C-alpha cells in the first residue's frame, strides 16, 4: 500500500512540479536569448548609422574635389587653400 501511495504522489505532484520547473527554465532561457538579440540589433543599427554618417562625409568631400577638378584658374587655388584650413572630419 505505501508503494502505491508513493507512485500516486509522484504522478500527481512530482511530474507536474518537475515539468513546471523545466518550463520556467526554458522561458528564462528564451527571454535571455531575446534580450541578446535585441542588444545585438541595437548595436547593429548604431553601427549602420555611423557608417551612413561617414559615407555622407566622404560624399561631401568627393563633391568638393569634383568641383575643384572641373573649375579653372584662380578658383582652384582658392578651393585648395580652403580645404587646407578645414578640419578633416
Amino acid at each position: 500500500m505505501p508503494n502505491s501511495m508513493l507512485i500516486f504522489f509522484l504522478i500527481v505532484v512530482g511530474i507536474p512540479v518537475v515539468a513546471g520547473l523545466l518550463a520556467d527554465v526554458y522561458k528564462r532561457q528564451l527571454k535571455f536569448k531575446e534580450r541578446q538579440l535585441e542588444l545585438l540589433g541595437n548595436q547593429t543599427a548604431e553601427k549602420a548609422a555611423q557608417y551612413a554618417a561617414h559615407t555622407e562625409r566622404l560624399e561631401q568631400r568627393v563633391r568638393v574635389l569634383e568641383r575643384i577638378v572641373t573649375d579653372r584658374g584662380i578658383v582652384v587655388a582658392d578651393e585648395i587653400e580652403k580645404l587646407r584650413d578645414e578640419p578633416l572630419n
Side-chain angles (χ1 to χ4, degrees):
M1 188 94 161
N3 224 3
S4 63
M5 289 293 279
L6 179 62
I7 292 173
F8 177 75
F9 178 77
L10 285 175
I11 291 173
V12 171
V13 176
I15 292 175
V17 168
V18 170
L21 289 174
L22 290 175
D24 187 53
V25 167
Y26 183 70
K27 286 179 187 177
R28 287 176 185 249
Q29 184 180 17
L30 284 178
K31 283 184 182 180
F32 177 73
K33 290 289 185 182
E34 184 178 305
R35 181 70 178 139
Q36 275 185 324
L37 289 173
E38 183 180 317
L39 290 173
L40 181 63
N42 290 342
Q43 290 174 348
T44 303
E46 186 177 326
K47 284 278 190 190
Q50 289 174 354
Y51 288 140
H54 184 68
T55 301
E56 179 61 31
R57 286 192 303 269
L58 290 175
E59 287 175 356
Q60 288 173 353
R61 294 186 73 179
V62 167
R63 278 188 229 112
V64 169
L65 291 173
E66 287 172 343
R67 270 197 332 250
I68 291 172
V69 168
T70 57
D71 288 347
R72 305 225 183 254
I74 193 79
V75 176
V76 173
D78 290 340
E79 288 288 330
I80 290 171
E81 288 306 316
K82 284 181 189 176
L83 286 176
R84 286 187 183 146
D85 294 338
E86 290 180 9
L88 292 178
N89 289 331

